[in-house]
Amino acid sequence: MLFRKKRYQDERVTAEQNRIYREIYILIYVICFLSIVYKFIMNGEISLNLVGTEMLIVLVSGIYYAIRSAKLGLFSAEVEIHDQKNKWSYQSKTIFSGIGIGVLLGIIFGVNSAYQYADSQMQAYYYFFLVFIVTLIIYMPILLLLMLGSYSAAKKKSDKVIEKQLEE
């Protein structure tokens, strides 16, 4: 059995370390984004083979943070603090970000289809709007369900953890 001594740390030092870790987290995201942009510029296309590692880093770190903060009960506190400070609630921002991502995907897919497959100006407009609307119909509900479902699950789990902590 492994015994550990409780180490007492200065709260100021711990807060500064956490600030540095947060900066490193943001730096990793920026480096991954720049790497994706660089590979796009150099190769002319984004392939999952080229940017798979960067996408994995971004997705796994986001998912890990969400799960960890929900299990520790921090997510509910973050939501409460956010809702007190901002005019728009966290849930509203989640809904609008899902809609925004869906519209952005629609625009990207529409422009790509118009650019790649159209032979004339009118055909380009037709392809753009057709692909844009179909993308909204397909991806918007999926994104909204995914984002609201993950938000609700994290909030519910975090609230349960907080209730359990308050009982003890």
Side-chain angles (χ1 to χ4, degrees), residues 95 98-103 135-145:
I95 291 170
I99 293 170
I101 291 170
V103 169
T135 301
L136 290 182
I137 291 170
I138 293 172
Y139 288 105
M140 188 80 67
I142 293 170
L143 286 169
L144 285 174
L145 286 174

Side-chain angles (χ1 to χ4, degrees), residues 43-96:
N43 296 319
E45 66 176 315
I46 294 181
S47 171
L48 190 58
N49 295 336
L50 296 174
V51 295
T53 305
E54 291 87 348
M55 295 300 290
L56 188 67
I57 290 170
V58 170
L59 288 174
V60 169
S61 63
I63 291 169
Y64 176 79
Y65 179 79
I67 291 171
R68 193 78 171 124
S69 66
K71 284 188 176 184
L72 293 174
L74 296 175
F75 186 76
S76 293
E78 289 175 0
V79 169
E80 283 183 33
I81 291 169
H82 177 274
D83 290 349
Q84 289 173 359
K85 289 183 178 180
N86 294 302
K87 186 169 53 170
W88 291 72
S89 70
Y90 198 88
Q91 186 173 10
S92 297
K93 284 186 177 180
T94 302
I95 291 170
F96 286 117

